[in-house]
Amino acid sequence: MGDLLGVAVLGAGHMGADHIRRLDRVVSSARVAAVADPETDRAKEAAAGIDGVSVHAEPAAALDAPGVQAVLIASPGPAHEEALLAAFERGLPVLCEKPMTPDSAGALRVVEAEARLGRRLAQLGFMRRYDAEYMRLKSLLDSGRLGRPLMLHCTHRNVASPSHFTTPMLINSSVSHEIDAARWLLDEELTAVTVLRPRPSSNAPEGLLDPQFVLFETSGGTLVDVEIFVNSGFGYQVRCEAVCEGGSARIGDGHTMVVTTGGRAGEEVDQDYLVRFAEAYDREVQSWVDATRQGRVTGPSVWDGYAAAAVAEAGVRALESGVGQYVDLAVRPQAYEPTRRRTHDPRARS
Amino acid sequence: MGDLLGVAVLGAGHMGADHIRRLDRVVSSARVAAVADPETDRAKEAAAGIDGVSVHAEPAAALDAPGVQAVLIASPGPAHEEALLAAFERGLPVLCEKPMTPDSAGALRVVEAEARLGRRLAQLGFMRRYDAEYMRLKSLLDSGRLGRPLMLHCTHRNVASPSHFTTPMLINSSVSHEIDAARWLLDEELTAVTVLRPRPSSNAPEGLLDPQFVLFETSGGTLVDVEIFVNSGFGYQVRCEAVCEGGSARIGDGHTMVVTTGGRAGEEVDQDYLVRFAEAYDREVQSWVDATRQGRVTGPSVWDGYAAAAVAEAGVRALESGVGQYVDLAVRPQAYEPTRRRTHDPRARS
Amino acid sequence: MGDLLGVAVLGAGHMGADHIRRLDRVVSSARVAAVADPETDRAKEAAAGIDGVSVHAEPAAALDAPGVQAVLIASPGPAHEEALLAAFERGLPVLCEKPMTPDSAGALRVVEAEARLGRRLAQLGFMRRYDAEYMRLKSLLDSGRLGRPLMLHCTHRNVASPSHFTTPMLINSSVSHEIDAARWLLDEELTAVTVLRPRPSSNAPEGLLDPQFVLFETSGGTLVDVEIFVNSGFGYQVRCEAVCEGGSARIGDGHTMVVTTGGRAGEEVDQDYLVRFAEAYDREVQSWVDATRQGRVTGPSVWDGYAAAAVAEAGVRALESGVGQYVDLAVRPQAYEPTRRRTHDPRARS
Amino acid sequence: MGDLLGVAVLGAGHMGADHIRRLDRVVSSARVAAVADPETDRAKEAAAGIDGVSVHAEPAAALDAPGVQAVLIASPGPAHEEALLAAFERGLPVLCEKPMTPDSAGALRVVEAEARLGRRLAQLGFMRRYDAEYMRLKSLLDSGRLGRPLMLHCTHRNVASPSHFTTPMLINSSVSHEIDAARWLLDEELTAVTVLRPRPSSNAPEGLLDPQFVLFETSGGTLVDVEIFVNSGFGYQVRCEAVCEGGSARIGDGHTMVVTTGGRAGEEVDQDYLVRFAEAYDREVQSWVDATRQGRVTGPSVWDGYAAAAVAEAGVRALESGVGQYVDLAVRPQAYEPTRRRTHDPRARS
C-alpha cells in the first residue's frame, strides 16, 4: 500500500465514521492507517474490515502509529486545539472539521502555533468551498464579469434542530457556514454584525429564538444578510444570491446558477457531454471497480449492448427507407434477466 | 498495492486516456496495471507517472501483464469484439465502452460467448444509468408512485457534430444513448422504430440530415420520441420527460427533477445537509489527499477558522445585546495571504 | 349608448353566457344588444340586468333586433354555418367560436360565401392567438432572431375528458387548437398527419384511446408533434417548444418564455414597471369603476396612504441618522377597519 | 352614454394620459367626462377623439363639469390634498395615485377629512394589490395554509433611476410600494425601520446612495427586509418571499408562485382552460370589438377555420387507419393572404 496516503482519523462518531468510510471507499490514493476514539468500541466498529489499520483510545497514540502520514480531526470541538498542536509538533498535515475551536482565543493560539512553524499544515473543514454550486458562484465573482459585489442574500434552513440546540448555536454553529462562505466569496473580512429576531416560529422548541436574521458588513462595504431558520419544517435549503454592480447570480434553488444581467435571467447550458456527464463517468467506473472487487458483475450487460445495436440497425433502416421498421431481436439467453413488461401487442406495421 | 484492483486499459485515445486518469486519480480502490494501444507513444504518455504500470502495443499482452485483474476497453468499436472474447477466455471482468460492436451480428456473438461461460463478466459503458438525474427518474418510475409510463419525450442536442459524422450516426451513435436509457427506464424492449426528417438546419454540414425525430414503440406499448439535433449550435442538452398514468417527471433542464402530479408541479427539497453536500465532502477530502501527497496545503486555513470564530462571537454578542457589534480581529500573520479588498471605512457603530 | 358596439350573441350556453358577461362587464366599448337561444329561459337569464337587450329564440330575429351592429356566435357547431351566412347577408361583422363547422365541406362553403362578398366579415375564435405567452412566442419567431423553425413540440393535457368525449374528438376538438396555433406560429400549412397511439391510460374511460401522439408535417418542412392527453389527471397543461436553427423557445411551464440560444437558457427580464404591472393597473381601475357604479368604496384607503407616508418618513429619518427609528402613527379613526394581528411587543429601540 | 361612469381625470401627464387611455379604451363601463391640467394643451391632446369630454385648466372646474360622477387624481403629489378635499366636498368617489400627499401631516388631514364624512370616498393607487401574483400570495397567506408569516424578503430593482431621483426617494418613492404591500399582505402595521447602506454601485449617479437595504418590524413581530436598487442596470425585478411557520411562498421570478412546504418546492398547475386562458378570451373579444368599431376585420379568418377542419379530418383518418395521411386543401381564395413559406416538397407518403 506504499503509495496511498496513510491517514489517522481522530474521532469515530457520526462525522468521523463517515470520513473513515470516505477515505476507505470513495477517495482515491488514501487509506485509513489509524483511528482514535476514547470509546474504543466505536473506533473498532468504524475501522472494521480495513486492512492495516490500528485502533487507539488516545489521539497521540494514533498520530504515532505506523504508516500515519496525515491526520483528519473529527473529534468534538473542545479536543481540536490539542490535536492540532500535536499534529503541528509532528509536522503532520491536518484536515480539521469545523468549528476549529470553541472560541476565538483558542483559535488564535492555533494560528500563532502554525505561524511559528513558518508553513501551513492545516486545512479547515469548510466544505461549502467544495460544493459545485458555490464553486461556480465563486468563479463567476472572481471573473469580474458581474462587477463588484454589493450584497449577498443568504438563506439557511433546516428541517428541525437537534434537541441540544441553543439560541447562540444558530449563530456559531449554523451561520458559521455563511460566515466562511461570505469571507471566501468576497475575499473580504466581516467587520460588523447585527442580529434581528422576528417572532419565533411556533415549531421551534420553547425558548429557542428561531428564526433569526443576521446582517454582516464587510471590510469592503458589502452587506451580507442571512436568514437562519433551523426549524423550518419544510426542507434543508441553502441559497445565496450575490448582487453585483452588473448583475446578480443565485445558487441553491434546485437549479443550476441563475444569472441575471443585461435584461436576461438564465443559466449556462453545458456545451459538452464530458462536462454534463462527468460525474456519471466517475460513478460508473467506481461502481464497476467496487462490484469487481467483490466478484460481482452489475450494470448494463452485453445483452443491453446487443439490443441497442439491433434497435439502432432498425433505426437506420427506418431512416433510409422512410418507413417504420420492426426490431428483430434474437432470443434472449436465460442468463440475462427478463424485463418486466411484455404484454403489449404492437399494431401491424410494414 | 495488493488491495487495489489492477486494471488493463485497452486504448489510450481521448476516452482511454480519460479513463486512465480516472482510475489513477479519482476512483478509489483501483490502479492502472497495464495500458495497450497500437500507438505506443500515446499509451506511454497516458501512463506516465503511474507506479507499476506496463505499456503494450497488443491488447493480449496487456491482458497477460502482471497484476492485471480486470479490463477496461476503450479502443475503437471494431476492436471490441476480439478484446471482449480475449477477456472472456481469461475470465477477466470487463468494462466495455459503447458501442459494444459496430453491428448487431457481432454483438450477438459476444452475447453467445458470455452465455457459454455461464456467468456475466462484462459491463457495458452506458453511463447515463449512473447520472444522478437519470437515477432519480429511474427510482421514481420503479417506485410506481406515478403509475405506468405511457410516453417518454426525449431531447438530445449537441452544439456541433464532428467532421466525420454521417446521417446514420445520428441514430447509431447519438440516439443509441436514448435507446439504452429507454430500455432501462421502462424495463421494456423497443419493438418498432420510425424516423422523421424535418427540414435540415442550415447549420448542419451539407448532406447531413439533422435534426431527426425518432419514434420507438416498446413491448409494453409505451411510445418513446427522441429529438436528435447534433448541430443545434446552442448547447448540449439532454432531457427526458416520462409521462405516466398518474403524473409526469422531467429531468435535464438545469433543474432537479420536476414532477407534476395532483395539480402541482415541483421538485423535492433535500431534507439533510449530508445529502445536499455529499459531493462537497467527497471533493473536500479528495482535494486534501491530493494536495497532501504533493506536499502542499491548500483550502481554508486556520486563519479562516479563527476569523469565523471571531465573527461568530461578535454575532452572539449582537444577538444577546440586541445591538450591532464590531468584529475584533487580531493582526493577521503574514503567512496567511491577505484578502483583496480592504478600502472601505465602515460607518460608526455602537 | 350610441358609441358602444351593439352585439347580438347567439347561444346562451356555458360559452355564450361567459361571452355575454365579458361584453357587458369586461370589454370596453361594447354592449350586448340581443341574445338568441332556442331555450329562451337561459337566454333571459344570461341577459338579466343588461340595459336595452332583447331576447330571442331565433338567431335571425336577434340579428335583426334594434341596435345590433355585430354578431358573436357561441351556439353549437352545427348551427354555425347558417348563422355565419345570415350575418354575411346582413353585412354584419362576426366573431365565431371554434370549430367553425363540424366538417371541412361546410367550412369551405363559408369560405366561398365570404369570398363572394369581396371582403372579410368574420373572425374565428382561436383564442390562443391572444394569449400573452403565445403572442410572445409568435413575436420571437417573426423577429427571425432564432432563425427558421425546424420543429414544434407541443403538449396538451386536460385533467379529465367530459363524458361525451370520443376518440376522434382528441383530434378534432382538442388538437384543433394546436392545428391552428402551428399554422399561425409557422405561417405554413399543415400537409400531412400521422397519429400514434401509445397504451391508453387506465384513467381514460373504457374505449377511449387516450393519450395520442400526433405528428404533422408542414408546407415548409417543419415537423410538429403533439402529445394530447385528455385524462392526465394531473393538470391542464399547454406547452409549446419551438426548435429553430439558432435556438429554442418554450412557453407554458408556469414560467415566462424560456429561450435557449448561444449557450444560455433563460428569460427576458422586464425593463419597466408599466410593462410588469400593466394588467394590475387595468384591474385596479376596473375594480374602482365597478365598485363606484355600485356605490361602494373598496381597495386601499386614505389610512393606507397615511400609514405609508408615516412609515416612509421614519425610513428617511433612519436613512439619514443611520439609526433604527420607530414609526409614529396617529390613532386610527374607527372608519378604517383594524388590521388583525397586533399582539407583539416590539423590543426596545433607540 | 347614461350608463357609463363619467370620470374627471386630474393631470394629463405621463400617468394621467395613460389612465385616460385606459378609461376610454380598456376599462368597461366608464368614460372620460372631463380632463384638467394647468397645461391645457396636453389635456387637450390626451382627450382628443373622446366623445363628450370637456377640458379644463382648473381641477375644480373639471369636478363641476357636466357628467362627472367620479374623479381620478393623477396630478403631481403636492396637488393631491386639495383635490381630495374638493372631491370630498362634492361627495365624489376618488381614485388617487400614490403617494397620497408629500408628507404624513397632509395625509393625516386627508384621513381626518374623510373620517368627518362618515363614509369612505377615496381609494389609493397602490396597484400591486391588483397584480395577479401578489393577489395569489395574499390569498395563500390569508388561507392560513402556510401558518403565520415570520419574515418577508423583498427585492425591488429598477434598471436606472430618473435624473431627479434623490437618496430619500429610494425610501419614499420606491420602497413605499413594499411598505403598502407588506402592510396589506400581513394585515399588520410597520412599527420600526432601519436602513443599511452597502457600498453604492458605481452605476449610480454621483452622490446617490444606491442600493439600500431596509428592515421593518411589524406590530405582529414579523420582519420585512427590502433590497432597493434603482440603478441595477439589469432589469425591473420585483420579488417577494413570505417565510411562514409551515412553508415559504415566492413570487416574482418570471414564474408563477413557488411554494415550498412539506419537503417539496413547486407551483400549482391550472386545472381548467378557462382559468389558463381567461385573459386570452378577454383580449380576443376586446380586439374584435376594437377592430369592428373601426370597420376592420383582423384575427383568424374563415380560411383558418376551414384549414383547421381539413387538417382535423385528415387527422381522424390517420387515427382510424393507423397510416399517415395527406391533407387535401382547396385552393385558397385570393382574399385570404398567403402564408409566407411554401417552398418545401414534402416527401412521398401513402
mmCIF file of all heavy atoms in Angstrom, chain A residues 148-149 153 157 199 202-203 220-221 223 227 234 239 241 245 247 263, chain D residues 148-149 153 157 199 202-203 213 220-221 223 227 234 239 241 245 247 263:
data_model
loop_
_atom_site.group_PDB
_atom_site.id
_atom_site.type_symbol
_atom_site.label_atom_id
_atom_site.label_comp_id
_atom_site.label_asym_id
_atom_site.label_seq_id
_atom_site.Cartn_x
_atom_site.Cartn_y
_atom_site.Cartn_z
ATOM 1 N N ARG A 148 -18.295 44.443 -9.156
ATOM 2 C CA ARG A 148 -18.079 44.276 -7.715
ATOM 3 C C ARG A 148 -19.353 43.850 -7.012
ATOM 4 O O ARG A 148 -20.424 44.371 -7.289
ATOM 5 C CB ARG A 148 -17.612 45.600 -7.099
ATOM 6 C CG ARG A 148 -16.205 45.992 -7.486
ATOM 7 C CD ARG A 148 -15.952 47.461 -7.203
ATOM 8 N NE ARG A 148 -16.043 47.777 -5.782
ATOM 9 C CZ ARG A 148 -14.985 47.982 -5.003
ATOM 10 N NH1 ARG A 148 -13.756 47.877 -5.482
ATOM 11 N NH2 ARG A 148 -15.144 48.295 -3.738
ATOM 12 N N PRO A 149 -19.243 42.907 -6.073
ATOM 13 C CA PRO A 149 -20.425 42.531 -5.285
ATOM 14 C C PRO A 149 -20.829 43.660 -4.338
ATOM 15 O O PRO A 149 -19.974 44.319 -3.751
ATOM 16 C CB PRO A 149 -19.956 41.308 -4.489
ATOM 17 C CG PRO A 149 -18.678 40.865 -5.121
ATOM 18 C CD PRO A 149 -18.077 42.076 -5.755
ATOM 19 N N HIS A 153 -27.368 37.886 -0.353
ATOM 20 C CA HIS A 153 -28.565 37.470 0.380
ATOM 21 C C HIS A 153 -28.481 35.958 0.571
ATOM 22 O O HIS A 153 -28.440 35.215 -0.407
ATOM 23 C CB HIS A 153 -29.831 37.790 -0.416
ATOM 24 C CG HIS A 153 -30.008 39.239 -0.772
ATOM 25 N ND1 HIS A 153 -29.854 40.255 0.137
ATOM 26 C CD2 HIS A 153 -30.336 39.845 -1.951
ATOM 27 C CE1 HIS A 153 -30.092 41.422 -0.467
ATOM 28 N NE2 HIS A 153 -30.374 41.191 -1.729
ATOM 29 N N ARG A 157 -31.803 27.047 5.883
ATOM 30 C CA ARG A 157 -32.943 26.456 6.590
ATOM 31 C C ARG A 157 -32.717 24.977 6.836
ATOM 32 O O ARG A 157 -32.307 24.267 5.929
ATOM 33 C CB ARG A 157 -34.230 26.612 5.751
ATOM 34 C CG ARG A 157 -34.655 28.041 5.561
ATOM 35 C CD ARG A 157 -35.876 28.141 4.655
ATOM 36 N NE ARG A 157 -36.136 29.552 4.353
ATOM 37 C CZ ARG A 157 -36.710 30.002 3.235
ATOM 38 N NH1 ARG A 157 -37.103 29.151 2.303
ATOM 39 N NH2 ARG A 157 -36.899 31.287 3.043
ATOM 40 N N ARG A 199 -40.532 37.256 15.300
ATOM 41 C CA ARG A 199 -41.329 36.365 16.141
ATOM 42 C C ARG A 199 -40.877 34.926 15.947
ATOM 43 O O ARG A 199 -40.764 34.458 14.818
ATOM 44 C CB ARG A 199 -42.776 36.493 15.694
ATOM 45 C CG ARG A 199 -43.727 35.582 16.413
ATOM 46 C CD ARG A 199 -45.154 35.854 15.947
ATOM 47 N NE ARG A 199 -45.251 35.821 14.494
ATOM 48 C CZ ARG A 199 -46.038 36.591 13.764
ATOM 49 N NH1 ARG A 199 -46.791 37.494 14.327
ATOM 50 N NH2 ARG A 199 -46.067 36.493 12.467
ATOM 51 N N SER A 202 -43.668 28.865 15.936
ATOM 52 C CA SER A 202 -44.260 28.014 16.965
ATOM 53 C C SER A 202 -43.770 26.573 16.831
ATOM 54 O O SER A 202 -43.994 25.755 17.716
ATOM 55 C CB SER A 202 -45.784 28.074 16.897
ATOM 56 O OG SER A 202 -46.218 27.630 15.635
ATOM 57 N N ASN A 203 -43.062 26.279 15.735
ATOM 58 C CA ASN A 203 -42.468 24.949 15.600
ATOM 59 C C ASN A 203 -41.114 24.843 16.291
ATOM 60 O O ASN A 203 -40.550 23.753 16.385
ATOM 61 C CB ASN A 203 -42.285 24.596 14.121
ATOM 62 C CG ASN A 203 -43.613 24.506 13.413
ATOM 63 O OD1 ASN A 203 -44.593 24.046 13.990
ATOM 64 N ND2 ASN A 203 -43.656 24.971 12.179
ATOM 65 N N GLY A 220 -15.010 45.684 2.792
ATOM 66 C CA GLY A 220 -15.170 46.361 1.500
ATOM 67 C C GLY A 220 -16.512 47.050 1.354
ATOM 68 O O GLY A 220 -16.848 47.532 0.268
ATOM 69 N N GLY A 221 -17.326 47.071 2.410
ATOM 70 C CA GLY A 221 -18.608 47.773 2.298
ATOM 71 C C GLY A 221 -19.713 46.939 1.698
ATOM 72 O O GLY A 221 -20.759 47.462 1.329
ATOM 73 N N LEU A 223 -22.762 44.240 1.996
ATOM 74 C CA LEU A 223 -23.724 43.865 3.022
ATOM 75 C C LEU A 223 -24.089 42.390 2.829
ATOM 76 O O LEU A 223 -24.376 41.962 1.715
ATOM 77 C CB LEU A 223 -24.981 44.732 2.866
ATOM 78 C CG LEU A 223 -26.033 44.587 3.955
ATOM 79 C CD1 LEU A 223 -25.534 45.201 5.255
ATOM 80 C CD2 LEU A 223 -27.314 45.299 3.521
ATOM 81 N N GLU A 227 -30.787 34.689 6.473
ATOM 82 C CA GLU A 227 -31.922 34.114 7.187
ATOM 83 C C GLU A 227 -31.476 32.768 7.706
ATOM 84 O O GLU A 227 -31.122 31.883 6.927
ATOM 85 C CB GLU A 227 -33.124 33.917 6.256
ATOM 86 C CG GLU A 227 -34.269 33.219 6.994
ATOM 87 C CD GLU A 227 -35.283 32.546 6.058
ATOM 88 O OE1 GLU A 227 -35.627 33.117 5.027
ATOM 89 O OE2 GLU A 227 -35.696 31.411 6.395
ATOM 90 N N PHE A 234 -39.799 22.538 6.526
ATOM 91 C CA PHE A 234 -40.081 22.164 5.146
ATOM 92 C C PHE A 234 -38.885 21.746 4.319
ATOM 93 O O PHE A 234 -39.067 21.291 3.188
ATOM 94 C CB PHE A 234 -40.887 23.239 4.417
ATOM 95 C CG PHE A 234 -40.435 24.653 4.630
ATOM 96 C CD1 PHE A 234 -39.506 25.233 3.799
ATOM 97 C CD2 PHE A 234 -40.983 25.408 5.645
ATOM 98 C CE1 PHE A 234 -39.123 26.553 3.971
ATOM 99 C CE2 PHE A 234 -40.593 26.742 5.823
ATOM 100 C CZ PHE A 234 -39.664 27.307 4.985
ATOM 101 N N ARG A 239 -29.302 28.780 0.125
ATOM 102 C CA ARG A 239 -29.294 29.615 -1.075
ATOM 103 C C ARG A 239 -28.371 30.797 -0.875
ATOM 104 O O ARG A 239 -28.142 31.238 0.265
ATOM 105 C CB ARG A 239 -30.710 30.164 -1.344
ATOM 106 C CG ARG A 239 -31.750 29.093 -1.491
ATOM 107 C CD ARG A 239 -33.059 29.605 -2.034
ATOM 108 N NE ARG A 239 -33.621 30.659 -1.223
ATOM 109 C CZ ARG A 239 -34.931 30.828 -1.032
ATOM 110 N NH1 ARG A 239 -35.809 30.026 -1.635
ATOM 111 N NH2 ARG A 239 -35.376 31.794 -0.285
ATOM 112 N N GLU A 241 -27.587 34.553 -3.022
ATOM 113 C CA GLU A 241 -27.661 35.439 -4.189
ATOM 114 C C GLU A 241 -26.649 36.548 -4.013
ATOM 115 O O GLU A 241 -26.674 37.263 -3.019
ATOM 116 C CB GLU A 241 -29.067 36.039 -4.337
ATOM 117 C CG GLU A 241 -29.125 36.999 -5.525
ATOM 118 C CD GLU A 241 -30.501 37.613 -5.773
ATOM 119 O OE1 GLU A 241 -31.287 37.713 -4.819
ATOM 120 O OE2 GLU A 241 -30.776 37.984 -6.926
ATOM 121 N N GLU A 245 -22.613 44.923 -9.218
ATOM 122 C CA GLU A 245 -22.868 46.155 -9.972
ATOM 123 C C GLU A 245 -23.419 45.870 -11.358
ATOM 124 O O GLU A 245 -24.137 46.679 -11.913
ATOM 125 C CB GLU A 245 -21.580 46.956 -10.082
ATOM 126 C CG GLU A 245 -21.094 47.419 -8.716
ATOM 127 C CD GLU A 245 -20.047 48.507 -8.821
ATOM 128 O OE1 GLU A 245 -19.392 48.592 -9.880
ATOM 129 O OE2 GLU A 245 -19.894 49.262 -7.849
ATOM 130 N N GLY A 247 -25.030 42.781 -12.322
ATOM 131 C CA GLY A 247 -25.958 41.657 -12.432
ATOM 132 C C GLY A 247 -26.012 40.899 -11.136
ATOM 133 O O GLY A 247 -25.322 41.222 -10.170
ATOM 134 N N GLY A 263 -30.733 42.453 -18.806
ATOM 135 C CA GLY A 263 -32.123 42.259 -19.193
ATOM 136 C C GLY A 263 -32.518 40.813 -19.413
ATOM 137 O O GLY A 263 -33.593 40.528 -19.920
ATOM 138 N N ARG D 148 -48.494 31.198 10.240
ATOM 139 C CA ARG D 148 -48.236 32.619 10.413
ATOM 140 C C ARG D 148 -46.962 33.037 9.705
ATOM 141 O O ARG D 148 -45.955 32.337 9.781
ATOM 142 C CB ARG D 148 -48.086 32.949 11.903
ATOM 143 C CG ARG D 148 -49.375 32.826 12.681
ATOM 144 C CD ARG D 148 -49.111 32.773 14.184
ATOM 145 N NE ARG D 148 -48.435 33.959 14.670
ATOM 146 C CZ ARG D 148 -49.037 34.912 15.381
ATOM 147 N NH1 ARG D 148 -50.309 34.833 15.677
ATOM 148 N NH2 ARG D 148 -48.348 35.962 15.803
ATOM 149 N N PRO D 149 -46.971 34.195 9.049
ATOM 150 C CA PRO D 149 -45.748 34.691 8.418
ATOM 151 C C PRO D 149 -44.736 35.140 9.474
ATOM 152 O O PRO D 149 -45.116 35.732 10.491
ATOM 153 C CB PRO D 149 -46.219 35.899 7.605
ATOM 154 C CG PRO D 149 -47.709 35.801 7.537
ATOM 155 C CD PRO D 149 -48.129 35.039 8.759
ATOM 156 N N HIS D 153 -39.060 38.623 2.565
ATOM 157 C CA HIS D 153 -37.845 39.081 1.894
ATOM 158 C C HIS D 153 -38.271 39.705 0.560
ATOM 159 O O HIS D 153 -38.851 39.019 -0.288
ATOM 160 C CB HIS D 153 -36.912 37.917 1.598
ATOM 161 C CG HIS D 153 -36.495 37.130 2.808
ATOM 162 N ND1 HIS D 153 -36.001 37.721 3.943
ATOM 163 C CD2 HIS D 153 -36.463 35.791 3.051
ATOM 164 C CE1 HIS D 153 -35.691 36.775 4.831
ATOM 165 N NE2 HIS D 153 -35.975 35.600 4.318
ATOM 166 N N ARG D 157 -35.905 46.177 -7.855
ATOM 167 C CA ARG D 157 -34.795 46.677 -8.675
ATOM 168 C C ARG D 157 -35.331 47.379 -9.910
ATOM 169 O O ARG D 157 -36.211 46.857 -10.578
ATOM 170 C CB ARG D 157 -33.901 45.521 -9.141
ATOM 171 C CG ARG D 157 -33.187 44.825 -8.011
ATOM 172 C CD ARG D 157 -32.399 43.615 -8.508
ATOM 173 N NE ARG D 157 -31.876 42.878 -7.355
ATOM 174 C CZ ARG D 157 -31.636 41.574 -7.337
ATOM 175 N NH1 ARG D 157 -31.843 40.852 -8.424
ATOM 176 N NH2 ARG D 157 -31.166 40.986 -6.250
ATOM 177 N N ARG D 199 -22.008 49.611 0.098
ATOM 178 C CA ARG D 199 -21.231 50.417 -0.864
ATOM 179 C C ARG D 199 -22.113 50.752 -2.068
ATOM 180 O O ARG D 199 -22.722 49.860 -2.655
ATOM 181 C CB ARG D 199 -20.053 49.560 -1.323
ATOM 182 C CG ARG D 199 -19.204 50.196 -2.367
ATOM 183 C CD ARG D 199 -18.003 49.322 -2.659
ATOM 184 N NE ARG D 199 -18.396 47.972 -2.996
ATOM 185 C CZ ARG D 199 -17.729 46.871 -2.665
ATOM 186 N NH1 ARG D 199 -16.610 46.966 -1.995
ATOM 187 N NH2 ARG D 199 -18.160 45.702 -3.019
ATOM 188 N N SER D 202 -21.243 51.646 -8.612
ATOM 189 C CA SER D 202 -20.590 52.671 -9.437
ATOM 190 C C SER D 202 -21.482 53.076 -10.607
ATOM 191 O O SER D 202 -21.211 54.052 -11.291
ATOM 192 C CB SER D 202 -19.234 52.167 -9.928
ATOM 193 O OG SER D 202 -19.408 50.996 -10.689
ATOM 194 N N ASN D 203 -22.573 52.346 -10.817
ATOM 195 C CA ASN D 203 -23.525 52.753 -11.859
ATOM 196 C C ASN D 203 -24.531 53.786 -11.358
ATOM 197 O O ASN D 203 -25.295 54.330 -12.154
ATOM 198 C CB ASN D 203 -24.297 51.539 -12.382
ATOM 199 C CG ASN D 203 -23.374 50.561 -13.062
ATOM 200 O OD1 ASN D 203 -22.435 50.960 -13.742
ATOM 201 N ND2 ASN D 203 -23.622 49.272 -12.853
ATOM 202 N N PHE D 213 -30.643 48.759 1.915
ATOM 203 C CA PHE D 213 -31.289 47.557 2.431
ATOM 204 C C PHE D 213 -32.106 47.988 3.634
ATOM 205 O O PHE D 213 -31.563 48.474 4.621
ATOM 206 C CB PHE D 213 -30.224 46.515 2.804
ATOM 207 C CG PHE D 213 -30.769 45.129 3.023
ATOM 208 C CD1 PHE D 213 -31.201 44.369 1.946
ATOM 209 C CD2 PHE D 213 -30.851 44.588 4.292
ATOM 210 C CE1 PHE D 213 -31.704 43.082 2.128
ATOM 211 C CE2 PHE D 213 -31.346 43.296 4.487
ATOM 212 C CZ PHE D 213 -31.772 42.550 3.396
ATOM 213 N N GLY D 220 -46.894 42.741 14.637
ATOM 214 C CA GLY D 220 -47.032 41.331 14.982
ATOM 215 C C GLY D 220 -45.698 40.615 15.110
ATOM 216 O O GLY D 220 -45.662 39.397 15.246
ATOM 217 N N GLY D 221 -44.585 41.362 15.028
ATOM 218 C CA GLY D 221 -43.283 40.726 15.199
ATOM 219 C C GLY D 221 -42.729 40.097 13.939
ATOM 220 O O GLY D 221 -41.789 39.311 13.989
ATOM 221 N N LEU D 223 -40.623 40.283 10.457
ATOM 222 C CA LEU D 223 -39.505 41.058 9.949
ATOM 223 C C LEU D 223 -39.664 41.194 8.437
ATOM 224 O O LEU D 223 -39.913 40.205 7.745
ATOM 225 C CB LEU D 223 -38.202 40.327 10.280
ATOM 226 C CG LEU D 223 -36.909 41.071 9.971
ATOM 227 C CD1 LEU D 223 -36.732 42.241 10.934
ATOM 228 C CD2 LEU D 223 -35.740 40.113 10.078
ATOM 229 N N GLU D 227 -34.489 44.846 -0.366
ATOM 230 C CA GLU D 227 -33.381 45.365 -1.166
ATOM 231 C C GLU D 227 -33.964 46.344 -2.156
ATOM 232 O O GLU D 227 -34.789 45.966 -2.988
ATOM 233 C CB GLU D 227 -32.689 44.232 -1.943
ATOM 234 C CG GLU D 227 -31.598 44.794 -2.861
ATOM 235 C CD GLU D 227 -31.226 43.845 -4.004
ATOM 236 O OE1 GLU D 227 -31.139 42.638 -3.772
ATOM 237 O OE2 GLU D 227 -31.029 44.346 -5.135
ATOM 238 N N PHE D 234 -29.774 45.859 -14.715
ATOM 239 C CA PHE D 234 -30.118 44.605 -15.384
ATOM 240 C C PHE D 234 -31.591 44.288 -15.501
ATOM 241 O O PHE D 234 -31.948 43.323 -16.158
ATOM 242 C CB PHE D 234 -29.345 43.424 -14.819
ATOM 243 C CG PHE D 234 -29.269 43.328 -13.331
ATOM 244 C CD1 PHE D 234 -30.227 42.654 -12.613
ATOM 245 C CD2 PHE D 234 -28.218 43.901 -12.650
ATOM 246 C CE1 PHE D 234 -30.147 42.536 -11.228
ATOM 247 C CE2 PHE D 234 -28.129 43.801 -11.266
ATOM 248 C CZ PHE D 234 -29.091 43.118 -10.561
ATOM 249 N N ARG D 239 -39.681 41.097 -6.403
ATOM 250 C CA ARG D 239 -39.877 39.757 -5.842
ATOM 251 C C ARG D 239 -40.323 39.869 -4.394
ATOM 252 O O ARG D 239 -39.994 40.844 -3.708
ATOM 253 C CB ARG D 239 -38.563 38.968 -5.883
ATOM 254 C CG ARG D 239 -37.987 38.847 -7.272
ATOM 255 C CD ARG D 239 -36.871 37.827 -7.333
ATOM 256 N NE ARG D 239 -35.781 38.164 -6.438
ATOM 257 C CZ ARG D 239 -34.498 37.925 -6.704
ATOM 258 N NH1 ARG D 239 -34.132 37.329 -7.850
ATOM 259 N NH2 ARG D 239 -33.565 38.249 -5.844
ATOM 260 N N GLU D 241 -40.731 37.043 -1.039
ATOM 261 C CA GLU D 241 -40.831 35.708 -0.461
ATOM 262 C C GLU D 241 -41.376 35.839 0.946
ATOM 263 O O GLU D 241 -40.808 36.538 1.777
ATOM 264 C CB GLU D 241 -39.468 35.016 -0.416
ATOM 265 C CG GLU D 241 -39.570 33.634 0.244
ATOM 266 C CD GLU D 241 -38.261 32.850 0.260
ATOM 267 O OE1 GLU D 241 -37.186 33.479 0.249
ATOM 268 O OE2 GLU D 241 -38.319 31.612 0.282
ATOM 269 N N GLU D 245 -44.521 29.818 9.164
ATOM 270 C CA GLU D 245 -44.225 28.705 10.079
ATOM 271 C C GLU D 245 -44.297 27.355 9.374
ATOM 272 O O GLU D 245 -43.638 26.408 9.765
ATOM 273 C CB GLU D 245 -45.208 28.730 11.249
ATOM 274 C CG GLU D 245 -45.011 29.978 12.102
ATOM 275 C CD GLU D 245 -45.726 29.893 13.431
ATOM 276 O OE1 GLU D 245 -46.659 29.083 13.557
ATOM 277 O OE2 GLU D 245 -45.325 30.624 14.350
ATOM 278 N N GLY D 247 -44.049 26.891 5.785
ATOM 279 C CA GLY D 247 -43.587 26.854 4.404
ATOM 280 C C GLY D 247 -43.273 28.247 3.917
ATOM 281 O O GLY D 247 -43.462 29.228 4.640
ATOM 282 N N GLY D 263 -41.342 19.454 2.289
ATOM 283 C CA GLY D 263 -40.289 18.771 1.543
ATOM 284 C C GLY D 263 -40.415 18.864 0.038
ATOM 285 O O GLY D 263 -39.690 18.196 -0.690
#
